[in-house]
C-alpha cells in the first residue's frame, strides 16, 4: 500500500529570513536561543532574534567554507572544506584551529555519547581517507577509532542511538570507494572501539536521523529504517522514489527530509508525523531551485538552510500541527506486517483504528500458547505501533493477533486479524 500523501496548504509556507539572501547555507545548529548558519563561502553567521537579523562571526577562521556546525555544551565546532576544524568557547565570537584533527580530510558530522565527542571524516585529497575520531576532552585532542572499517572509506553521517538497555550505540553512514563506490551502515556497541557492518542495502551510507526508537538512513532515492537499535534495516516503502535524499531533520516526533526531484532537479521538503509511515510535501513558499541541506528549530519556529544562494527560511511550528491534521485518518481496522521481519530480537507491530476502540494485541507460539500481551486497553482512533522484544524466546515462527471491539456496531462486533512473524537468532 502506497502511503505518500500529497497535500496543498495555501495558508502555510516557508518565509525567507533577512540578510542571507545570497548565501548558500549548508549547515544549521542551535545553542539556547542562538541560531548559527554555516555558509558555502562566507563563514559562520549568528542570529539571536529568531532569524530576524544575522551577524557574520568569522574572527579567527582561516577558512570560511563551512561544512558542518555542532554545539556541545559551551563549545561550538565548525568544520571547513580543505581547512580543518575550529572551536569557539565564546558563542562564535572567536575561533581557534584544532590541530589534533587532520586538515587533509573534511569533518562531515559530529555526535556526542556520554562524555565523548565523535567526528566523522571524509577524504578530501587523493591518497587520504576518512574515518571516525573521538575526543574525551571537549575537542582539544582526538584519536582515530576505525577498527572494523575497510580502506577507502568516507564517513558521511554519525548518530547516537538507544541500545535498548539504557545505553547507546553509535551508527555511521559510510561510503566505500574501492573498485566501485557503494554505501554501508556501520554500528558500534562499545563507544567506537570497534565497528561492525550492518547494512549494504541501497539506502545505506547517506544522512542519518533518530526519531524515538527508530533510526533512518537515506541514500539516493531510498530510505531505510531500523527499529532494533541499528542492527537490522528495512526499506521505507512509503518514500516517493523519484526524490533523492539530501538531509534529515528531527523536530519532536516529526521527521523532515530535504530532497531533489530526480527528473526536474527541483528541491522539495517532505514531512512525516508517523515515524516514516507516510510523507507529505510541505514546500509552500520555497522556490524549486532552493535545495534544503539542513534543519533546526528555536522556540516556535522551524528553520531550513538552503543551497544555491538560498539563505535560511522560517516556518511556524504551529503549522506542523495543521499539516498533521491534514493526514488521512484510517477508514478501516488494519493489522500491518511487523518490521523488520525476520527479526532479532526486536520488531515493531503497527495497526490502524478507524474509531476509538477497546483492543488487545497478543503474541502466540505455534502451539497456540499465549507468549505476551502487548496491548490491552482502550485506544483512540489513528495509527499505533508497539515494540515486541523476543530476547528470551527461541528462534521460530510466532503469531500476533489484533482484536478490536467496534463500538459503532450495535452488537459490539469484534475485528480480529492474525499475522505471523519469524524470529531468527
Amino acid at each position: 500500500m502506497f502511503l505518500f500523501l500529497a497535500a496543498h496548504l495555501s495558508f502555510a509556507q516557508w518565509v525567507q529570513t533577512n540578510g542571507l539572501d545570497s548565501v548558500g547555507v549548508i549547515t544549521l545548529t542551535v545553542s539556547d536561543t542562538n541560531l548559527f548558519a554555516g555558509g558555502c563561502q562566507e563563514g559562520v553567521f549568528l542570529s539571536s532574534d529568531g532569524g530576524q537579523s544575522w551577524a557574520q562571526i568569522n574572527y579567527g577562521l582561516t577558512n570560511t567554507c563551512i561544512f558542518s556546525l555542532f554545539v556541545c555544551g559551551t563549545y561550538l565546532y565548525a568544520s571547513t572544506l580543505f581547512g580543518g576544524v575550529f572551536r569557539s568557547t565564546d558563542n562564535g565570537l572567536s575561533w581557534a584551529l584544532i590541530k589534533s584533527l587532520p586538515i587533509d580530510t573534511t569533518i562531515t558530522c559530529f555526535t556526542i555519547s556520554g562524555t565523548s565527542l565523535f567526528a566523522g571524516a571524509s577524504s578530501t585529497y587523493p591518497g587520504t581517507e576518512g574515518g571516525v575520531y573521538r575526543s574525551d576532552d571537549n575537542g582539544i585532542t582526538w584519536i582515530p577509532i576505525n577498527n572494523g572499517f575497510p580502506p577507502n572509506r568516507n564517513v558521511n553521517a554519525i548518530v547516537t542511538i538507544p541500545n535498548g538497555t539504557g545505553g547507546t550505540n553509535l551508527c555511521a553512514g559510510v561510503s566505500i570507494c574501492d573498485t566501485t563506490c557503494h554505501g554501508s551502515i556501520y554500528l558500534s556497541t562499545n563507544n567506537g572501539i570497534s565497528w561492525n557492518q550492518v547494512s549494504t542495502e541501497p539506502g545505506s551510507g547517506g544522512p542519518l536521523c533518530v526519531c524515538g526508537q527508530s533510526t533512518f538512513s537515506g541514500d539516493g532515492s531510498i530510505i531505510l529504517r531500523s527499529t532494533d537499535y541499528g542492527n537490522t534495516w528495512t526499506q521505507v516503502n512509503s518514500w516517493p522514489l523519484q526524490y533523492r535524499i539530501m538531509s534529515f531533520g528531527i523536530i519532536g516526533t516529526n521527521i523532515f527530509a530535504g530532497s531533489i526531484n530526480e527528473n526536474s532537479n527541483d528541491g522539495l521538503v517532505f514531512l512525516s508525523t508517523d515515524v516514516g509511515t507516510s510523507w507529505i510535501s510541505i514546500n509552500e513558499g520555497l522556490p524549486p531551485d532552493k535545495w534544503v541541506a539542513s534543519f533546526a528549530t528555536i522556540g516556535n519556529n522551524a528553520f531550513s538552510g538552503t543551497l544555491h544562494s538560498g539563505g535560511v527560511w522560517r516556518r511556524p511550528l504551529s503549522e506542523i500541527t495543521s499539516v498533521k491534521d491534514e493526514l488521512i485518518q484510517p477508514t478501516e481496522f488494519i493489522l500491518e506486517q511487523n518490521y523488520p521481519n525476520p527479526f532479532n530480537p526486536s520488531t515493531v507491530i503497527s495497526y490502524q483504528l478507524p474509531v476509538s476502540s477497546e483492543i488487545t494485541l497478543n503474541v502466540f507460539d505455534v502451539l497456540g500458547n499465549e507468549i505476551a500481551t502487548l496491548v490491552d486497553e482502550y485506544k483512540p482512533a489513528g495509527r499505533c505501533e508497539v515494540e515486541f522484544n523476543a530476547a528470551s524466546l527461541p528462534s521460530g515462527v510466532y503469531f500476533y493477533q489484533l482484536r478490536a471491539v467496534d463500538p459503532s456496531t450495535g452488537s459490539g462486533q469484534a475485528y480480529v486479524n492474525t499475522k505471523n512473524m519469524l524470529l531468527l537468532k
Side-chain angles (χ1 to χ4, degrees):
M1 181 172 60
F2 187 59
L3 291 175
F4 168 62
L5 307 178
H8 177 70
L9 303 171
S10 59
F11 58 87
Q13 64 178 5
W14 297 91
V15 176
Q16 193 171 30
T17 63
N18 299 319
L20 299 185
D21 300 11
S22 61
V23 177
V25 174
I26 298 178
T27 177
L28 294 171
T29 196
V30 171
S31 177
D32 295 324
T33 59
N34 295 316
L35 177 62
F36 298 90
C40 297
Q41 299 294 335
E42 298 83 355
V44 182
F45 295 85
L46 165 65
S47 176
S48 299
D49 55 10
Q52 299 297 327
S53 61
W54 296 87
Q56 196 172 36
I57 49 171
N58 289 340
Y59 182 75
L61 287 177
T62 56
N63 186 298
T64 56
C65 184
I66 308 300
F67 200 91
S68 60
L69 293 169
F70 187 74
V71 170
C72 180
T74 58
Y75 301 99
L76 175 62
Y77 301 86
S79 75
T80 66
L81 191 63
F82 309 115
V85 176
F86 295 79
R87 189 182 75 158
S88 174
T89 61
D90 53 12
N91 253 353
L93 297 179
S94 62
W95 299 88
L97 178 67
I98 297 176
K99 296 182 179 179
S100 56
L101 278 171
I103 294 180
D104 57 0
T105 62
T106 295
I107 300 300
T108 58
C109 49
F110 296 91
T111 193
I112 186 170
S113 178
T115 59
S116 298
L117 179 63
F118 297 85
S122 177
S123 62
T124 304
Y125 302 103
T128 65
E129 63 183 6
V132 176
Y133 296 84
R134 188 183 71 215
S135 174
D136 298 315
D137 55 9
N138 297 312
I140 298 174
T141 59
W142 297 78
I143 59 171
I145 48 169
N146 296 312
N147 182 29
F149 285 134
N152 306 304
R153 72 260 174 172
N154 296 305
V155 177
N156 304 311
I158 185 168
V159 293
T160 303
I161 62 177
N163 67 1
T165 60
T168 57
N169 293 336
L170 292 171
C171 188
V174 181
S175 57
I176 303 165
C177 292
D178 36 36
T179 55
T180 62
C181 286
H182 53 279
S184 299
I185 300 174
Y186 282 79
L187 186 70
S188 175
T189 60
N190 53 13
N191 214 36
I193 295 174
S194 61
W195 297 86
N196 295 307
Q197 188 181 68
V198 291
S199 176
T200 57
E201 294 294 321
S204 305
L208 293 165
C209 72
V210 180
C211 184
Q213 297 296 318
S214 295
T215 307
F216 294 85
S217 168
D219 191 45
S221 58
I222 294 177
I223 293 180
L224 301 177
R225 172 171 53 194
S226 174
T227 59
D228 59 357
Y229 320 114
N231 289 286
T232 60
W233 298 78
T234 55
Q235 184 173 341
V236 175
N237 294 321
S238 56
W239 179 257
L241 294 180
Q242 72 270 30
Y243 292 95
R244 176 161 46 94
I245 303 296
M246 281 195 66
S247 58
F248 286 121
I250 300 294
I251 299 178
T253 58
N254 303 295
I255 307 173
F256 292 78
S259 67
I260 301 172
N261 190 314
E262 296 277 16
N263 300 318
S264 65
N265 220 33
D266 289 343
L268 205 63
V269 178
F270 290 99
L271 168 69
S272 176
T273 63
D274 53 12
V275 200
T277 298
S278 59
W279 301 84
I280 61 173
S281 167
I282 55 166
N283 217 58
E284 295 79 13
L286 274 175
D289 64 336
K290 308 304 181 190
W291 296 355
V292 175
S294 53
F295 296 94
T297 180
I298 285 185
N300 298 319
N301 291 300
F303 294 86
S304 61
T306 59
L307 301 179
H308 292 179
S309 300
V312 176
W313 299 70
R314 180 179 58 240
R315 187 167 184 171
L317 287 173
S318 59
E319 294 181 359
I320 296 174
T321 303
S322 300
V323 169
K324 186 174 182 179
D325 290 341
E326 293 292 320
L327 294 176
I328 298 175
Q329 294 298 315
T331 59
E332 59 181 326
F333 289 97
I334 296 176
L335 177 62
E336 300 178 14
Q337 186 63 50
N338 65 299
Y339 61 87
N341 189 43
F343 66 99
N344 179 28
S346 298
T347 188
V348 172
I349 300 171
S350 300
Y351 55 94
Q352 300 182 37
L353 307 176
V355 294
S356 300
S357 310
E358 188 74 37
I359 73 161
T360 58
L361 180 60
N362 299 313
V363 179
F364 303 89
D365 63 18
V366 292
L367 298 177
N369 299 310
E370 183 176 309
I371 299 300
T373 297
L374 303 181
V375 183
D376 184 7
E377 60 182 307
Y378 186 82
K379 301 288 284 187
R383 186 180 184 276
C384 306
E385 63 178 37
V386 62
E387 181 180 11
F388 173 54
N389 190 310
S392 62
L393 298 176
S395 297
V397 175
Y398 292 87
F399 298 87
Y400 58 99
Q401 182 182 85
L402 175 68
R403 182 179 294 269
V405 177
D406 185 353
S408 65
T409 62
S411 60
Q413 181 179 352
Y415 165 87
V416 180
N417 196 0
T418 304
K419 292 183 179 293
N420 62 68
M421 54 186 171
L422 178 60
L423 172 62
L424 287 179
K425 292 187 173 181

